[in-house]
Every structure is written in C-alpha cells, then in structure tokens.
Amino acid sequence: MSDQNCTVPADKYLKPETPVPNNNAIPLPLITQTDSRDKWSKKMDFLLSVIGFAVDLGNVWRFPYICYQNGGGAFLIPYTIMAIFGGVPLFYMELALGQFHRTGAISIWKRICPIFKGIGFAICIIALYVSFYYNTIIAWALFYFYSSFTETLPWTNCENPWNTPNCTNYFGRSNISWTNNSKSPAEEFYTRKVLGIQETDGLNNVGGLHWQLLLCLFLIFTIVYFSLWKGVKTSGKVVWVTATLPYVVLIILLIRGATLPGAWRGIVFYLRPKWEKLTDTAVWVDAAAQIFFSLGPGFGVLLALSSYNPFHNNCYRDAIITSSVNCLTSFLSGFVIFTVLGYMAEMRGVEVEDVAKDKGPSLLFITYPEAIANMVGSTFFAIIFFLMMITLGLDSTFGGLEAIITAVMDEYPHILSNRRELFVLCLVTVCFTGSLSTLTHGGAYVVKLLEEFGAGCSIIAVVFLEAIAVSWFYGIQRFCNDVKSMLGFAPGIFWRICWVAISPAFLAFIIVSSLMDQPPLMLFDYQYPEWTISVGYLIGASSFMWIPVYMVYKLVWTPGSLKQVGLSI
C-alpha cells in the first residue's frame, strides 16, 4: 500500500496562511492543537517523567530474578542485543511520533493510517486493566510503609495473632531446622496479615474487602488525582521527587547490603555466567520480553508525554538517555537485591539459590523485608525501602493514566478541552472501582490474573501492529522525513532497518514464543482452574478486539466502493 493510501492531505493540518510545500521539501510541522496545548515547564520535567514511567517496580523485582535464572552475567548478552535491536528503536519511534504529531494514542491514527485507529482504543483499555491491579501493589507497599513505624517490625517474629505453628524464625538463633513446611515471619505477615489469603479458597470465593487496603488504595488514588488534574505542569513537578528518590534509596540500600555478611555470595550468584544458557531459546525470549516491558513502548505513555515537547526537541538524544538509564537501573537493582539474598543464605546456612526462589511481588514483600527486619536500624531501612516502592509505582501510574487522559481529550476536545479536572476525577473513580476485586482476601489471585492477561500478549500484539502500520503503511521514508523536520537530520540506515524488519520480527518472536510455551498459572501453591484461564483470555481479547472491530466499522461506514474506500483509508 502506498504512503498516500494511509494519510490525508498534509495541507489539511497546515495553518491557512502557510503555502503547501512541494514534494521535495521537508514536511512542515503538523498543527493538531492550538498554541494553548500544555507544554513541559522544563526539559528535565519530561525526562524525569519518562524515566519515572520506564523505571518501575519490575526493574527491582523482575530483572534480578530473570537475570540469575537465565545464566547470570551471560544473560546480559541477549539482554543487550534485544535492547539495541528491539527495545530502543521502538522507544525512539514512539517518542518521535508523539512529538511530531502532538496528539494522543487515539487521534494520532488520523494522521498515520486511519484504519488502524482501533490501536488507540486498545491501548486505552489495556492501560485501564493495568491500573486495576498495579495500584493495588502500591497499596500493599503503603500498608507496609505504615506498618514500619514501630520499634519492632511486625514481620520480625512469630508471636503475632496471624502466625501459625509453621512459622520459623531462624535469625539470631542456632539449632533451627528449616523444612519444606517452614514459613518465615515475613511470609506469614504478607500472606495472612496483608493479603488474608487464609480467608479464601481461591477465585471461586475471593472473600470480603480488606478495609485497610481499601484506605491505602484510596490514598494512592488521591495522590494520583492531585498530581494529574492540572496536566503536565503539575505532574512534571511531582516527578522531581518520585523519580529521583528511588535512586537515593537504591544507593543507600546497596551500601548497606554490601556490608552484610555473605553479600559477596549473592553477587557471585547474580553475575556468575552460565554460558551454556545462551543456546536456550527461552533465555532469548525472556530477554526480549524483559526489555520490552521494561522500556514500555505501546502503552501510549511515550506518545502522550512527548506530545507536550517543543517541536524541535532532540527526541533521539532523549530516547538514548532514558533507555540507558532504565537498563542501568535494572542492573543496579540486581546488586541491591542479591547482596541481601547472599546475607539471608549466610544466616540460614543454605545456598543462595535456596532463598532466591521468590519472584514477582513476593521478592519485594517477603524476601527483602525479611532481611531488613534483621538488620541494625531495621525500622529506618524498612521505611525508606517501602517509600521507594511507592514512588516507583506512582511514577508508572502517572504515565499510564496520562496516556488515557491525553488520548481521550485529544480525541474529543470539543467536549473535554475545558473539563480536564472533571474527566481526571471520573477516570480515577473508574480505576478505583475496577480495583475493588483486587482488595478482597483473594485479591492477590485477581492481581496475578490481570497481570498475566490484561497486559500480556495483547500489548505486544498492539505494538507489533503499530510498528507495521508506521513502517509499512505510513511509510518509512515519510516517517524519516518527519524526524528530519524536527531534528534537522534523518535517522540512519540502522534505525530504518530496525523499524522496518528487526523490531517487528523481535515482537513476533515474543508473541509466538509466549503462545507456544504457556506453563500452568500458579500463585502460593494455588493452581488456577480452567475457567479462570478462559476469563483471562477474554480479558486479553477485550482490548485487542477493538482493532479489527474498528477496521470493519471503517470499511462498512466509509461511503464509496470497496476500491474507493481502500484508497481513502
């Protein structure tokens, strides 16, 4: 399909007094908004917002686990290759698209290829699903943060009402045997006090609401609302705290971790290369998935945040800087986590791999708090650790909801242009209401289900279609001309090849591999029944379906013959 088939005439978006350029001229900026469109107060507001979105809780819990599981230091080879040829090009593409067209994830397709407009709606639905569970994880961190303001942390011993006979506290004691049935005080605090999973038998009966978590979530969404209600001028100020504080805390925790007994064992275990792993396809799949979900292209956030940039901002440099910071943060987090795991192995008298079995939220809510509880100054380290988790989560929430806000407000400016505060309030209310099922005693099972299916293969498929639509339908030459009009230079051959072939292949590789290898879904020894998996597939399909639905709608309702319709869209 030629470039002309997927774009409306450029002069439709030019100011009336601006003459239409000839075919050999560099395209002029598209004017999709008036000068009243919000802009970042400072360049650093934008950079910190992008870094804050990309660097999230997954950098702390997901990367260290995947790294040691897939060959330690050897894993950095496929991780770097996937970042260079897949993640960073997609990251750069989205920043450039948002900055050039200066509009959100829905209305931008009017400028690129209107028949793919369903991609924008799918992105917004996925962002909603993420908000339903992601903010609950932040609420868990807030609960821990509040619980840390005590002289003795509540997950230090086995003498609490929620503890069971299986609770085993081995720190500071000798002749303690650790069996397969043993549970640490930190594990029982998380599963029985915070989550209350003993009150439920799974998704068949999730139980009642946990009122303390309900209050925590309400406070989280209150902070989110007042950070977003006025636009990027307010959120750009908040990220100066929420995006920088985690680095201060990470450095403090790294220094403390490095001084613990056995820390070196954890570092060796983290980085010792297992070269034979490089021949395992699963390692490359994990590397591709990790870099993709870490950088976060396809969630509409990069489009939204960059749309408030000056037209001639150097988005190429921004892409390199922010993606590099993201990857280095993941690597740094591994040292923070594994120095503590080495310490725990030393205290238990076992191998590091025996205490490094937890992954996902359990790593942050069981393993690390358990180690903190037995350090000198445990209260201080617990407070700053959970404060770091809250700020990491809030940054990503700001980005995710701003993607929805920008997309919908740009699509319906005649209704929402002067009602941002009311629209943000309605959106936050919807997100809070949608999160209620995750606040039940079986809420952790709902969180896991939404995490697996709400933003799994569906978001990867969306980005795959986005890359195809931009590179093949809109046209790589046209897109490169857009970038040249902003930066003064066109992307090189490396970027063109990545956008046209390598990045789409990178995404197709993740999709196919994910569909072929689907292990049973489990959490806390609970295996999800078949009907819940079917519900999960419906959740994933409910977002992606908007792409073919809109295509059919466009073909049916656009007047003219099928051939004429094809040429117009």
Side-chain angles (χ1 to χ4, degrees), residues 37 40 46-47 49-55 87-100 102-105 108 123 292 294-309 315 318-319 322-323 326 399-400 402-404 406 463 466:
R37 183 176 181 83
W40 296 103
F46 166 71
L47 290 177
S49 295
V50 174
I51 291 172
F53 162 71
V55 178
V88 177
L90 292 169
F91 194 87
Y92 179 20
M93 172 184 278
E94 283 218 351
L95 288 183
L97 284 172
Q99 183 171 303
F100 183 81
R102 301 188 67 204
T103 189
I108 193 172
I123 287 173
F292 173 81
S294 180
L295 292 176
F299 287 90
V301 179
L302 303 177
L303 288 173
L305 297 181
S306 61
S307 71
Y308 300 107
N309 273 335
C315 57
D318 295 345
T322 52
S323 56
N326 177 276
E402 185 59 53
I404 302 175
T406 300
V463 185
E466 178 184 317

Side-chain angles (χ1 to χ4, degrees), residues 259-379:
T259 62
L260 293 171
W264 64 272
R265 294 176 60 190
I267 295 175
V268 170
F269 184 79
Y270 174 44
L271 293 180
R272 179 187 292 140
K274 300 173 185 176
W275 301 111
E276 67 277 8
K277 285 280 191 177
L278 294 180
T279 60
D280 187 351
T281 305
V283 172
W284 293 82
V285 174
D286 284 347
Q290 171 60 27
I291 193 65
F292 173 81
F293 285 107
S294 180
L295 292 176
F299 287 90
V301 179
L302 303 177
L303 288 173
L305 297 181
S306 61
S307 71
Y308 300 107
N309 273 335
F311 184 78
H312 293 292
N313 173 67
N314 192 337
C315 57
Y316 169 72
R317 181 177 57 198
D318 295 345
I320 300 300
I321 291 174
T322 52
S323 56
S324 299
V325 169
N326 177 276
C327 295
L328 290 173
T329 303
S330 296
F331 189 57
L332 173 66
S333 299
F335 286 97
V336 174
I337 295 297
F338 275 91
T339 52
V340 168
L341 292 180
Y343 165 61
M344 291 178 62
E346 186 82 6
M347 294 297 101
R348 285 189 189 181
V350 297
E351 296 300 320
V352 177
E353 61 185 8
D354 294 324
V355 296
K357 293 179 180 179
D358 288 328
K359 60 179 178 178
S362 295
L363 185 62
L364 300 184
F365 292 110
I366 297 177
T367 309
Y368 209 90
E370 182 180 341
I372 287 177
N374 294 277
M375 295 179 185
V376 176
S378 58
T379 297

Side-chain angles (χ1 to χ4, degrees), residues 131 134-136 138-139 142 216-232 234-236 238-239 242 390-405 420-421 423-425 427-429 431-432 435:
S131 72
Y134 193 80
N135 293 286
T136 297
I138 308 175
L142 182 59
C216 290
L217 187 66
F218 180 80
L219 180 57
I220 292 297
F221 274 116
T222 301
I223 296 172
V224 170
Y225 174 73
F226 285 107
S227 298
L228 295 177
W229 70 324
K230 293 293 186 182
V232 295
T234 53
S235 62
V238 175
V239 294
T242 57
I390 293 168
T391 54
L392 282 172
L394 283 174
D395 283 334
S396 296
T397 291
F398 293 159
L401 294 188
E402 185 59 53
I404 302 175
I405 295 166
R420 181 183 173 100
E421 293 90 343
F423 175 66
V424 174
L425 178 61
L427 176 62
V428 167
T429 302
C431 294
F432 180 78
S435 303

Side-chain angles (χ1 to χ4, degrees), residues 12 60 82 427 448 464 509:
K12 180 177 179 180
V60 180
M82 291 297 181
L427 176 62
K448 181 70 173 177
F464 173 75
F509 175 62

Side-chain angles (χ1 to χ4, degrees), residues 31-197:
I31 307 299
T32 62
Q33 296 265 339
T34 64
D35 289 337
S36 62
R37 183 176 181 83
D38 281 349
K39 297 181 179 63
W40 296 103
S41 300
K42 298 178 181 178
K43 175 63 175 288
M44 281 302 296
D45 292 358
F46 166 71
L47 290 177
L48 289 175
S49 295
V50 174
I51 291 172
F53 162 71
V55 178
D56 66 350
L57 294 171
N59 291 74
V60 180
W61 83 48
R62 189 179 292 117
F63 178 83
Y65 176 84
I66 289 179
C67 185
Y68 91 77
Q69 185 186 46
N70 290 289
F75 176 75
L76 298 178
I77 296 175
Y79 179 77
T80 303
I81 291 174
M82 291 297 181
I84 293 173
F85 292 99
V88 177
L90 292 169
F91 194 87
Y92 179 20
M93 172 184 278
E94 283 218 351
L95 288 183
L97 284 172
Q99 183 171 303
F100 183 81
H101 295 284
R102 301 188 67 204
T103 189
I106 299 176
S107 54
I108 193 172
W109 293 100
K110 298 175 185 176
R111 290 46 166 171
I112 298 175
C113 194
I115 200 171
F116 283 99
K117 190 176 179 180
I119 290 177
F121 292 108
I123 287 173
C124 291
I125 298 297
I126 291 171
L128 270 180
Y129 288 152
V130 172
S131 72
F132 291 166
Y133 73 85
Y134 193 80
N135 293 286
T136 297
I137 298 175
I138 308 175
W140 297 344
L142 182 59
F143 186 93
Y144 269 84
F145 178 72
Y146 168 77
S147 302
S148 299
F149 285 89
T150 58
E151 185 176 348
T152 302
L153 295 174
W155 57 88
T156 301
N157 55 62
C158 296
E159 302 167 3
N160 302 288
W162 57 82
N163 291 128
T164 68
N166 288 329
C167 183
T168 305
N169 187 10
Y170 57 88
F171 276 90
R173 301 182 183 184
S174 58
N175 300 323
I176 296 294
S177 59
W178 187 267
T179 68
N180 291 332
N181 294 324
S182 297
K183 306 290 183 183
S184 69
E187 182 176 354
E188 292 204 340
F189 179 80
Y190 175 55
T191 58
R192 299 179 63 84
K193 174 63 176 174
V194 180
L195 301 181
I197 62 171

